[in-house]
Amino acid sequence: MVRVTPFLLVLSLALVAQGLSDRKSPPLQCTLTGLWINDLGSNMTIGDLNRKGEFAGSYHTAVTATTNEIQVSPLQGSQHRTNQKSQPTFGFTVNWKFSDSITVFTGQCFVDDEGKEVLKTMWLLRSRVDNIKDDWKATRVGINIFTPLHSHKE
Ligand code: BTN
């Protein structure tokens, strides 16, 4: 009896430890809908997704490749597999209202190590050129990282 008790104690501790380590961590949910700001200081608002994962929104860029006055511009995009994946890939296009350019963004919505949502994106900005000979210099490429703006939707 004297020997059995410590054995049972160790066994029960091991079972409790096993039980704790077997507990599944909750899925990492990252939601596109809401207000975002990127590393250039640009803001965007993404509306609710429809059943197909499509969304619309608006983009207020902080910078421009033109000398034109910046205006808030519409965006349209879609997210991959709305229900099945918790850190979804997505893409959207911004049709700039104050220039002849178009930007396409592609990216993924992540939850970082501190539990904060972040959008890691790459973009292509196509500017209009007058002559086909200038086509080679008409596309810029870059990355942007977006983080939620205070009133971001949960
Ligand atoms: C233009 O200059 O013709 C339109 C505005 C382009 C703004 C670009 S899009 C990629 C990058 N990320 C931003 O937030 N703004 C710039």
Side-chain angles (χ1 to χ4, degrees), residues 38 40 42 59 61 63-66 96 98-99 101 103 105 123 125 144:
N38 73 17
L40 292 170
S42 301
Y59 201 107
T61 181
V63 296
T64 174
T66 71
W96 301 106
F98 60 94
S99 77
S101 312
T103 301
F105 286 83
W123 52 262
L125 166 60
N144 277 140

Side-chain angles (χ1 to χ4, degrees), residues 18-89:
Q18 180 69 41
L20 286 175
S21 69
D22 279 355
R23 277 203 300 194
K24 289 220 166 42
S25 46
L28 303 170
Q29 286 295 346
C30 190
T31 309
L32 285 179
T33 301
L35 271 64
W36 300 88
I37 184 166
N38 73 17
D39 48 299
L40 292 170
S42 301
N43 295 320
M44 71 171 173
T45 303
I46 294 183
D48 288 332
L49 276 60
N50 69 17
R51 279 192 308 119
K52 292 194 275 185
E54 297 161 343
F55 57 84
S58 59
Y59 201 107
H60 190 179
T61 181
V63 296
T64 174
T66 71
T67 54
N68 303 341
E69 187 181 334
I70 290 170
Q71 293 173 31
V72 177
S73 299
L75 69 82
Q76 284 189 308
S78 62
Q79 174 187 299
H80 206 278
R81 296 198 186 165
T82 316
N83 302 320
Q84 295 165 37
K85 294 264 166 44
S86 56
Q87 296 195 99
T89 54

